[in-house]
């Protein structure tokens, strides 16, 4: 059996998405900037796709800028706002649990003379709204908070965060790469100024994403070249990717998410019942419908990952041993999880294709692998 | 990422278990990533020389740590104390073909654990 439980990393492209994309490589392959029919046909499709994405987050089509993915969207949001607003102030507020696309961009901006505040999170991964309020100064130009965390699935209350930013007249960016389509994003109601989106986490193709930028926002482009995407993102539009992205959004379906949530809870409960000394990382309630992150105490995550891989089960881990820097996940550490516990953390992320049979198969081998590794561990039963 | 040899030792380790009544236990921790090994040895005599009659390891660590633990046992078993002390991380890696660069320190841990166990034994029996 093959069980792909790493949908937080990337997902299988839906057949319908593939089908929708093909004509834009073989037939309607024009450059959307060209004046001839080939180009104008591509342009029409580009605008239709933009509308689909915009509608999904209650935005206007002209507020959507296509990019090469979540990473570029995060870069454009943070650098673009920082560079355009540095006369107003040079302070940015973010959190300790952002994706590297945000964290490393913040480090870059720090080297460039900006000041960045990294908000703490509690043991479930939530930021403290009072700490956010207190961190705001006259110099603050941007608050960037990840919507649903990619490692532990914690969903922040972005409506409240948006309100605080609005009250202080500060731009609010959220990395919604993991949450997009899975939870409600309403840029009006939630007072979002910028939101990063990506296609490959929702059964779309890799290398395509979008940044929502609220009308009237002061932002600078970060790449020079042609005047595509409202002069904010140079480069010939990736029409097949954009079409695939829009199709993926169109077919995202609430029923699937309910089903994933059920399977998620089934898995968590069964693991807690059948495997001793585990604990769930993150929040039980405000949790992404497809995210499970569990620590298996006294063993190391990479070893467990490889054992599962041997049985065709794909997962990921926040263990230090699995990272190039040999440091445990910064998200788990920020949540106050001791490094030794972060060590045995495994992330299982489901998709609409995940079945109960796959989860039963996984738990079966999980039990076996955990036992084998614990029998080798000097920490077990000591 | 890992060679077949590494995987073979990881999947079917022969020496990863606790030892009842060992003559000495070497305990080492990995300062880099926080892993841990306990190396157990039983000492015997052959041709008038002390040898490592039996050896086993318990490891809390990655694939490379578990594999190198198993290899160090293969290499040390039956060797005189003096020869066992000479086992280097290069010897361990050679047995495995190769290790990813960021995993070299795991092999050092296995070597350290063995030396610690021998040292403990020698101090006890001075
Ligand atoms: C929260 C989050 N932000 C950003 C990214 C980067 O997105 P992309 O892979 O599309 O560049 C990811 C995916 O790895 C993510 O999970
Ligand atoms: S034991 Fe941590 S990297 Fe090998």
């Amino acid at each position: 059996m093959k069980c792909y439980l790493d949908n937080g990393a990337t997902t299988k492209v839906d057949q319908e998405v593939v089908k929708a994309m093909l004509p834009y490589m073989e037939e309607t392959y024009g450059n959307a900037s060209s004046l001839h029919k080939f180009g104008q046909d591509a342009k029409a499709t580009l605008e239709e796709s933009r509308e689909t994405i915009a509608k999904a987050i209650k935005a206007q089509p002209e507020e959507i800028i296509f990019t090469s993915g979540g990473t570029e969207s995060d870069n454009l949001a943070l650098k673009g706002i920082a560079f355009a607003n540095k006369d107003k102030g040079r302070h940015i507020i973010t959190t300790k649990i952002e994706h590297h696309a945000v964290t490393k961009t913040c480090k870059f901006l720090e080297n460039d003379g900006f000041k960045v505040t990294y908000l703490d999170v509690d043991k479930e991964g939530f930021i403290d709204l009072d700490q956010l309020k207190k961190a705001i100064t006259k110099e603050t130009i941007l608050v960037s908070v990840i919507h649903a965390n990619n490692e532990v699935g914690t969903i922040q209350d972005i409506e409240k965060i948006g309100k605080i930013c609005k009250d202080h007249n500060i731009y609010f960016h959220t990395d919604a790469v993991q949450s997009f389509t899975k939870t409600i994003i309403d840029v009006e109601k939630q007072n979002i100024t910028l939101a990063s989106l990506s296609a490959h986490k929702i059964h779309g193709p890799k290398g395509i994403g979008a940044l929502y930028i609220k009308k009237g926002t002061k932002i600078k482009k970060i790449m020079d070249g042609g005047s595509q995407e409202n002069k904010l993102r140079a480069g010939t539009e990736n029409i097949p990717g954009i079409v695939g992205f829009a199709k993926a959004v169109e077919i995202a379906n609430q029923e699937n998410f309910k089903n994933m949530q059920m399977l998620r809870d089934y898995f968590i409960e069964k693991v807690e019942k059948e495997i001793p000394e585990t604990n769930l990382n993150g929040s039980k309630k405000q949790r992404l419908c497809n995210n499970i992150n569990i620590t298996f105490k006294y063993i190391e995550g990479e070893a467990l990952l490889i054992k599962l891989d041997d049985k065709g089960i794909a997962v990921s881990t926040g263990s230090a041993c699995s990272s190039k820097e040999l440091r445990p996940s910064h998200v788990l550490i920020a949540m106050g999880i001791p490094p030794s516990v972060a060590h045995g953390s495994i992330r299982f992320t489901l998709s609409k294709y995940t079945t109960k049979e796959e989860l039963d198969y996984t738990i079966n081998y999980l039990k076996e692998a955990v036992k084998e590794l614990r029998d080798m561990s000097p920490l077990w039963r000591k | 990422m890992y060679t077949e040899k590494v995987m073979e030792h990881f999947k079917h380790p022969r020496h990863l278990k606790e030892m009842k009544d060992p003559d000495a236990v070497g305990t080492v921790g990995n300062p880099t990533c926080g892993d841990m090994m306990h190396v157990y040895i039983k000492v015997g005599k052959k041709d008038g020389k002390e040898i490592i009659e039996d050896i086993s390891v318990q490891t809390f660590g990655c694939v490379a740590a578990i594999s190198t633990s198993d290899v160090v046992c293969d290499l040390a078993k039956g060797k005189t104390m003096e020869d066992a002390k000479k086992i280097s991380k290069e010897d361990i890696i050679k047995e495995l073909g190769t290790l990813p660069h960021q995993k070299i320190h795991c092999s050092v841990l296995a070597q350290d654990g063995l030396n610690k166990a021998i040292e403990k034994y020698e101090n006890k029996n001075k």
Side-chain angles (χ1 to χ4, degrees):
Chain A
M1 202 183 224
K2 276 208 164 145
C3 300
Y4 183 74
L5 299 177
D6 200 13
N7 291 280
T10 195
T11 57
K12 173 178 167 170
V13 180
D14 191 296
Q15 263 304 313
E16 270 193 70
V17 170
V18 176
K19 251 186 13 215
M21 289 171 71
L22 285 176
Y24 293 92
M25 289 182 255
E26 297 172 336
E27 293 153 33
T28 314
Y29 48 78
N31 183 324
S33 300
S34 302
L35 296 181
H36 45 64
K37 190 99 179 46
F38 289 86
Q40 291 307 300
D41 285 350
K43 171 87 178 156
T45 308
L46 169 65
E47 295 316 322
E48 260 171 52
S49 305
R50 198 187 305 281
E51 223 174 293
T52 306
I53 312 273
K55 223 189 265 162
I57 59 169
K58 303 255 166 71
Q60 298 304 313
E62 61 274 22
E63 296 176 314
I64 300 294
I65 299 296
F66 286 111
T67 66
S68 65
T71 302
E72 188 190 332
S73 294
D74 286 341
N75 270 266
L76 176 56
L78 275 85
K79 291 175 186 164
I81 292 293
F83 296 153
N85 296 277
K86 58 181 176 209
D87 293 342
K88 190 184 160 216
R90 287 175 161 261
H91 181 225
I92 293 166
I93 300 172
T94 184
T95 77
K96 289 186 178 163
I97 59 159
E98 297 299 311
H99 188 271
H100 283 313
V102 167
T103 316
K104 301 251 164 118
T105 304
C106 284
K107 293 281 174 228
F108 167 87
L109 289 169
E110 279 184 283
N111 283 332
D112 209 46
F114 288 85
K115 218 179 134 247
V116 181
T117 303
Y118 299 88
L119 299 176
D120 297 321
V121 294
D122 64 16
K123 63 182 196 304
E124 293 192 344
F126 294 107
I127 65 160
D128 173 359
L129 297 177
D130 283 328
Q131 197 194 12
L132 166 61
K133 280 184 213 156
K134 282 190 197 122
I136 295 173
T137 70
K138 277 209 264 321
E139 285 272 303
T140 311
I141 49 174
L142 177 69
V143 171
S144 179
V145 177
I146 188 166
H147 187 193
N149 181 267
N150 48 303
E151 290 186 40
V152 294
T154 303
I155 303 172
Q156 305 291 334
D157 190 340
I158 51 170
E159 189 168 340
K160 287 209 177 111
I161 299 167
K163 173 87 172 40
I164 293 169
C165 294
K166 192 186 178 188
D167 290 347
H168 288 81
N169 207 12
I170 297 167
Y171 290 148
F172 171 41
H173 166 249
T174 187
D175 178 334
V177 166
Q178 291 287 341
S179 59
F180 184 40
T181 69
K182 295 189 185 76
T183 58
I184 292 170
I185 301 174
D186 180 333
V187 292
E188 275 307 315
K189 193 160 158 240
Q190 294 164 333
N191 286 304
I192 297 169
T193 327
L194 308 112
S196 300
L197 313 173
S198 182
H200 73 98
K201 312 282 187 187
I202 58 168
H203 305 288
K206 292 166 184 60
I208 186 74
L211 180 65
Y212 157 76
I213 309 173
K214 192 185 175 73
K215 222 181 291 171
T217 303
K218 242 178 106 183
I219 186 164
K220 265 201 170 128
K221 64 175 193 274
I222 56 171
M223 201 157 59
D224 292 298
S227 349
Q228 291 92 346
E229 297 299 288
N230 208 9
K231 299 198 179 111
L232 273 172
R233 205 285 185 167
T236 300
E237 297 88 346
N238 171 3
I239 303 290
I242 289 167
V243 169
F245 188 11
K247 183 50 103 183
V249 171
E250 201 183 297
I251 61 178
N253 169 332
Q254 286 313 309
E255 275 312 302
N256 288 336
F257 302 131
K258 264 191 226 143
N259 194 41
M260 276 189 248
Q261 190 164 332
M262 243 166 53
L263 287 176
R264 174 197 75 187
D265 294 341
Y266 168 76
F267 186 92
I268 293 172
E269 197 177 307
K270 199 159 170 189
V271 166
E272 280 176 346
K273 207 164 78 202
E274 300 193 2
I275 305 179
E277 305 246 22
T278 62
N279 68 272
L280 180 70
N281 299 311
S283 161
K284 243 188 173 137
K285 285 198 189 107
Q286 295 292 83
R287 185 178 200 104
L288 211 56
C289 61
N290 71 333
N291 176 290
I292 299 162
N293 189 312
I294 296 178
T295 288
F296 301 90
K297 289 190 195 155
Y298 316 118
I299 58 178
E300 190 281 321
E302 186 210 81
L304 185 50
L305 180 154
I306 298 288
K307 268 199 181 289
L308 294 174
D309 186 41
D310 200 45
K311 302 288 181 196
I313 302 162
V315 300
S316 73
T317 171
S319 164
C321 302
S322 73
S323 79
K324 287 234 156 59
E325 302 81 25
L326 294 171
R327 269 196 299 263
S329 137
H330 66 285
V331 174
L332 297 176
I333 294 301
M335 286 161 64
I337 291 168
S340 63
V341 177
H343 233 73
S345 71
I346 296 280
R347 181 186 75 169
F348 309 84
T349 36
L350 320 182
S351 83
K352 62 179 176 184
Y353 300 119
T354 307
T355 64
K356 185 159 169 287
E357 287 66 41
E358 287 177 338
L359 296 186
D360 286 335
Y361 173 86
T362 299
I363 292 173
N364 203 21
Y365 280 111
L366 193 55
K367 273 196 318 213
E368 195 178 297
V370 168
K371 184 174 180 315
E372 281 174 15
L373 290 172
R374 280 181 175 168
D375 284 343
M376 296 181 201
S377 167
L379 303 177
W380 177 235
R381 297 227 177 87
K382 285 262 154 94
Chain B
M1 175 171 170
Y2 291 116
T3 62
E4 243 167 72
K5 279 250 182 76
V6 175
M7 289 304 293
E8 184 53 33
H9 281 282
F10 172 65
K11 279 184 350 203
H12 309 287
R14 290 183 297 144
H15 310 284
L16 271 112
K17 50 189 173 236
E18 199 176 353
M19 189 188 288
K20 293 256 170 329
D21 309 315
D23 289 324
V25 187
T27 305
V28 282
N30 191 332
T32 328
C33 57
D35 299 301
M36 210 185 248
M37 271 181 209
H38 289 189
V39 179
Y40 307 87
I41 54 170
K42 218 181 230 10
V43 179
K45 274 231 162 85
K46 196 181 165 197
D47 304 333
K49 277 187 177 163
E50 280 190 324
I51 60 158
I52 299 196
E53 194 173 83
D54 199 8
I55 174 166
S56 76
V57 184
Q58 283 195 299
T59 299
F60 166 55
C62 71
V63 173
I66 290 172
S67 249
T68 52
S69 300
D70 202 42
V71 167
V72 95
C73 295
D74 276 345
L75 292 177
K77 198 164 173 172
K79 279 214 167 72
T80 63
M81 302 297 253
E82 289 317 308
D83 284 348
K85 276 191 228 172
K86 285 187 204 133
I87 296 168
S88 67
K89 72 168 197 284
E90 284 77 18
D91 296 331
I92 297 171
I93 295 168
K94 209 169 92 196
E95 279 299 304
L96 293 169
T98 167
L99 272 180
H101 178 71
Q102 75 271 22
K103 296 288 184 182
I104 302 288
H105 70 273
C106 315
S107 62
V108 180
L109 194 62
Q111 180 203 7
D112 282 352
L114 173 63
N115 281 321
K116 200 88 164 266
I118 295 174
E119 190 184 304
K120 271 235 184 120
Y121 175 80
E122 289 180 338
N123 283 341
K124 205 168 70 179
N125 296 283
K126 248 184 212 162

